[in-house]
């Protein structure tokens, strides 16, 4: 994912295959002084604001009703 400026990005929990009953997102990285709002979410499709250009990580763990989970991790590049 690449976005310009101080960016608000909508993420989709559809990246995880199968019947998902819960989502656990974490967002990290970026340059010193950068803020990520929110830095974590249990929403299926959260919208996240990255305050500064830089390279960030978005990690999603989707869990099904049987308790099996599938992690997906992607790099997010925010440009000026």
């Amino acid at each position: 994912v690449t976005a310009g400026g101080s960016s608000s990005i909508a993420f989709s929990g559809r990246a995880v295959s199968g019947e998902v009953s819960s989502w656990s997102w974490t967002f990290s990285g970026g340059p010193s002084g950068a803020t990520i709002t929110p830095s974590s979410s249990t929403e299926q499709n959260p919208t996240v604001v990255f305050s500064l250009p830089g390279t960030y990580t978005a990690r999603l763990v989707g869990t099904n009703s049987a308790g099996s989970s599938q992690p997906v991790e992607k790099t997010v590049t925010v440009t000026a």
Side-chain angles (χ1 to χ4, degrees):
V1 175
T2 301
S6 174
S7 294
S8 174
I9 300 173
F11 289 85
S12 172
R14 292 180 298 167
V16 178
S17 61
E19 290 282 328
V20 178
S21 58
S22 68
W23 295 263
S24 177
W25 292 90
T26 54
F27 305 96
S28 60
S32 177
T35 59
I36 305 168
T37 306
S39 60
S40 64
S41 177
T42 56
E43 294 179 17
Q44 180 180 359
N45 303 311
T47 297
V48 180
V49 177
F50 300 91
S51 65
L52 296 172
T55 302
Y56 300 84
T57 301
R59 179 177 169 82
L60 169 61
V61 178
T63 304
N64 66 19
S65 59
S68 296
S69 61
Q70 178 183 6
V72 176
E73 191 169 289
K74 299 290 182 178
T75 299
V76 177
T77 302
V78 177
T79 59

